[in-house]
Amino acid sequence: MPPNTTATTGRTSGRKKGRKARLFVLVLVLAIIGGLAYGAYWTISTVRASFPQTTGEITLDGLAGPVDVKRDGNGIPQIYASSDEDLFMAQGYVQAQDRFYEMDVRRHMTSGRLAEMFGESQVENDAFLRTLGWDRVAKEEYDSTLSDETKSYLQAYAKGVNAYLAGKDGADISLEYAALGFTNDYAPQEWTPVDSLAWLKAMAWDLRGNMQDEIDRALMTSRLGPQQIADLYPQYPYDRNQAIVQEGQYDELTGTFDGGDDGATTGDGSGTGTGTDGSGTGLTDPATGLGTGTDGTSGASDATGTGTGTSTGSSGLQSQLSGLYDLLDNVPEAVGVNGNGIGSNSWVVGGEHTITGKPLLANDPHLSASLPSVWYQMGLHCREVSETCQYDVSGYTFAGMPGVVIGHNQDISWGMTNSGVDVTDLYLEQLTGDGYLYDGKVKPFTTREETIEVVGGEPKTIVVRETNNGPLLSDRADELVQVGKRAGVDTSAPDRGDGYGVALRWTALDPGTSMDAVFAMNKASDWEEFREAATLFEVPSQNLVYADTENHIGYTLPGKIPTRGEDADGSIPQPGWDPDYAWTGWVDQDELPYEYDPERGYLVTANQAVVDEDDYPHTLTTDWGYGTRSQRITDLIESKIKDGGKVSTDDMRQMQLDNSSEIARLLVPVLLKIDVDDKDVREAQKLLEGWDYTQDADSAAAAYFNSVWRNILKLAFGNKLPKELRVEGQCLWVDPIANTGPVDDDTKVRECGRRDADQAQPDGGDRWFEVVRNLMEEPDSEWWTTPESGNGRPAADNRDELLRRAMIDARWELTAKLGKDIDTWSWGRLHRLFLKNQTLGTEGPGFLQYALNRGPWKLGGGEATVNATGWNAAGGYGVVWVPSMRMVVNLDDLDKSKWINLTGASGHAFNAHYTDQTQMWADGELLDWAFTEQAVADATSDTLVLTP
């Protein structure tokens, strides 16, 4: 892949010549290949044609007054206008200058129209996305839910995007359009307000909560029993890893949450309480008797069903859910790894503990690595804040959507992490020819037709069917329709008739007000206004961390969070025909946890439990992150402020870069006690002696430990999981499922894994930390057994024998990957980041991938580490998600705040700002973040004036 291209500011002429030479090489390659294949030639002008104009003047019809666009040396724009409409129109224009191709792909994804750009290969994805109906829900929001003010901003933004598009063909907009022009006649269409709104649905999809855990738990039942599954989903360790809210409490008398802000209002709310009584009918795996107990934990089948049935039904359920997983996995990811592994860090330290005497707020959302970055840095400034021009805000935006998502204004700052609250449920539906069963009666489907246009092909029409629980996802996969006829359920379930379908209930499929919330937060001036704005942020449910210039800090959990019947906790697919499993309403906003100015003087959110379940009446989820990162951040803060110590902006940055491995801290002392005979393995074992558990990129010890960890997981758990959870192509000889042969029948069958490497289990995250921590006290557990390998490596019958085997396997795995000489080993050689254009950079011809993609970068950090450069232990060591940006906001002097992006401002390959921040990001550096007018002026390199 081409190396990173850098900005011209302050660079030598030699660098400029080198960059120009690379352009000539690129053009030569494109010209030769493109010319031979298509009889056409690309030139340097093709590559540069779409680069934005950043100086001089441009006339835009529709502006009421002049707008200044000031870009710094990294191409980050700060926009100055005299009215809200001009401000957001200019935002649309400038984002389109830098990122329109990205915006265009996003809107085609959210509306289920990818086949219009990329052809027949995307028809199935489009059909699934049309079934979800994001675009349709976004239009309903625009028509009936959003405020008039918000709609005016969306209209202004769209007007700015369309002003940029006016008079341009594809090659004038992006290199990717020039490439598409070789194969089809696609031309970009005008932008609409609904295009912006639908992006929030895509973001909500990737941050949707525990749907994957629902599927995985059910899939495990083909190989594992109830207690084994419970072993792999341990309880949250409240006694060791603190919840977010520690000082606030739920008031049972008033039915509200008291977070310490003296009764600041959060609106009227919309909840209806905790649901109704009833025993329900439950779902049970016939082969194992696994069910869901009324206490919300996995239990024996008599909790909700009889557990009778046949192995054929069990097989049908496994196939059904496996097919559903494949369907979900194929949906293009928007900001995360298809909903898996998503995390983030955000914390705030109050002024009593900082050098400045005012709060410091840090945030780094962990998302898929993408090129360009999902984030776009920008400032939106009214020349004079007034009723007609209300904004003075700067931060991280989404290209394609007006406003600032994370950042600060002149008074407050805020950060976000994914709450993990369960806002999705899968329902099995008993189908008939014309409808579905609910509460003993057949109800008709709600249906609609959707036509998918295919560039270069014939259109395809699909019918979308919905039940009262939501759209039937099973209609999009033939396999699901067939195996639904054999799905395993308990004996009290209705006759299966034509089979069971799978429907999705999800809060984001209801019209909401999250776009209103973005603008309300952007102009909030204090805690009360911020919390009022947060009540509008319905999906996705996020942890919001707050600080202001008046020396206050806070946390609040907003969101549209469902309540369920007593028999339902959302942990496994539910029986859609039983009203006792239906959603009963929403948790009232006044009941949601929050905390304001806690006595400890800081707040930490990193996807851990929001509140102790024993102190709160509602089940927010059964699948929190396990709090490894949050507790490490808490410990770092506590160590800094003990004995009156003070935290600086750079201290916050260094905390973001903490590479400490908590699982290494647990395992290494035990690994060092294992007797190893092989001198080569012993040589590797010695790397762990004196290691401080820090996963720096140049650490040989980190490389060896993480390989040992990966092999522990594989031997103890991975090889015991069903094929639906294992890595695609990984084949094992295993006992047949539900073998009814003689006791001495040792017949084996060959089963191969079916999941992509970055989605398989065990992924090595902090759930697995907790699993192994619990089992360390059970050295003779059956989990610690593994057979002899085909090449003669020893079997294991207990913990220490399995750990020894993992150390042996790791030694020879790294020998194969890195060489026999351990002095050449390093974690960064294994743990590399590649940045890929998410369309043509992954599916295009090789020469085009070379032109669009960048990397690799050798990284430190790791899974469930504060510096969360995530990797999937089942699939390998490569980086699959990252801190997508980092920021530290200084509420004493906003101009002393710092920020960085994963890539750069530009989405244009070979533009100076395509990846000009990536090396600094990889090195843990932060850029100065100018905010006040004078600071912005001092940092400005280019000024563009947009005139009416």
Side-chain angles (χ1 to χ4, degrees), residues 595-879:
E595 202 161 72
Y596 183 66
D597 284 343
E599 290 185 12
R600 63 189 178 279
Y602 63 87
L603 287 155
V604 176
T605 74
N607 316 112
Q608 78 271 41
V610 169
V611 64
D612 193 316
E613 62 182 0
D614 293 334
D615 300 328
Y616 191 68
H618 300 294
T619 298
L620 297 175
T621 185
T622 59
D623 294 297
W624 300 114
Y626 282 80
T628 302
R629 282 180 288 108
S630 61
Q631 194 58 44
R632 176 61 178 171
I633 295 167
T634 297
D635 292 344
L636 291 171
I637 294 172
E638 285 286 350
S639 68
K640 189 68 181 178
I641 66 177
K642 70 179 180 180
D643 301 323
K646 302 295 183 181
V647 178
S648 69
T649 300
D650 197 59
D651 290 332
M652 300 284 276
R653 179 189 69 85
Q654 291 186 46
M655 291 178 193
Q656 289 178 322
L657 304 177
D658 182 79
N659 286 332
S660 176
S661 169
E662 295 306 300
I663 191 61
R665 197 178 301 275
L666 172 71
L667 291 179
V668 166
V670 181
L671 294 174
L672 289 174
K673 294 177 182 178
I674 302 294
D675 290 330
V676 177
D677 296 329
D678 188 300
K679 65 180 180 61
D680 292 312
V681 179
R682 174 62 183 151
E683 181 185 36
Q685 184 186 36
K686 286 183 176 180
L687 289 172
L688 304 179
E689 295 178 357
W691 180 44
D692 63 357
Y693 317 124
T694 299
Q695 302 170 98
D696 293 333
D698 61 358
S699 172
Y704 181 59
F705 172 78
N706 281 320
S707 184
V708 173
W709 171 237
R710 165 172 149 83
N711 280 280
I712 289 171
L713 293 170
K714 178 181 178 181
L715 295 169
F717 310 107
N719 291 349
K720 300 177 177 75
L721 295 177
K723 61 182 180 295
E724 292 86 1
L725 275 69
R726 298 201 313 269
V727 175
E728 184 176 5
Q730 181 196 77
C731 300
L732 300 171
W733 289 97
V734 297
D735 293 325
I737 294 176
N739 187 0
T740 58
V743 173
D744 60 351
D745 184 359
D746 59 356
T747 302
K748 301 287 185 181
V749 296
R750 190 169 185 263
E751 287 188 348
C752 297
R754 294 183 177 179
R755 280 207 180 160
D756 290 344
D758 63 358
Q759 304 283 322
Q761 293 295 337
D763 62 16
D766 65 353
R767 172 164 68 89
W768 294 99
F769 289 15
E770 200 64 22
V771 169
V772 171
R773 183 186 297 276
N774 292 341
L775 290 172
M776 291 298 285
E777 304 302 320
E778 300 179 38
D780 295 320
S781 167
E782 289 189 5
W783 288 113
W784 296 117
T785 63
T786 192
E788 180 180 347
S789 71
N791 56 9
R793 292 178 191 165
D797 293 318
N798 58 48
R799 183 195 69 187
D800 289 357
E801 289 179 0
L802 187 139
L803 295 180
R804 181 184 297 110
R805 167 70 179 276
M807 293 170 70
I808 295 169
D809 288 358
R811 176 36 160 135
W812 299 115
E813 181 186 7
L814 292 198
T815 297
K817 290 181 179 293
L818 303 179
K820 188 173 183 179
D821 184 359
I822 64 173
D823 290 335
T824 67
W825 291 2
S826 70
W827 177 224
R829 287 181 63 194
L830 293 170
H831 194 51
R832 299 188 299 167
L833 169 67
F834 292 85
L835 293 176
K836 296 183 178 182
N837 178 292
Q838 290 191 306
T839 54
L840 301 182
T842 57
E843 301 295 334
F847 78 90
L848 196 56
Q849 293 187 36
Y850 180 88
L852 297 175
N853 299 340
R854 299 291 183 271
W857 284 266
K858 299 176 181 179
L859 300 183
E863 182 67 30
T865 301
V866 179
N867 183 20
T869 55
W871 56 288
N872 186 302
Y877 303 98
V879 177

Side-chain angles (χ1 to χ4, degrees), residues 8 16 200 224 269 343 362 384 401 520 629 656 818 826 831 915:
T8 59
K16 293 179 180 177
L200 282 172
L224 305 177
E384 182 177 345
M401 197 180 88
R629 282 180 288 108
Q656 289 178 322
L818 303 179
S826 70
H831 194 51
T915 54

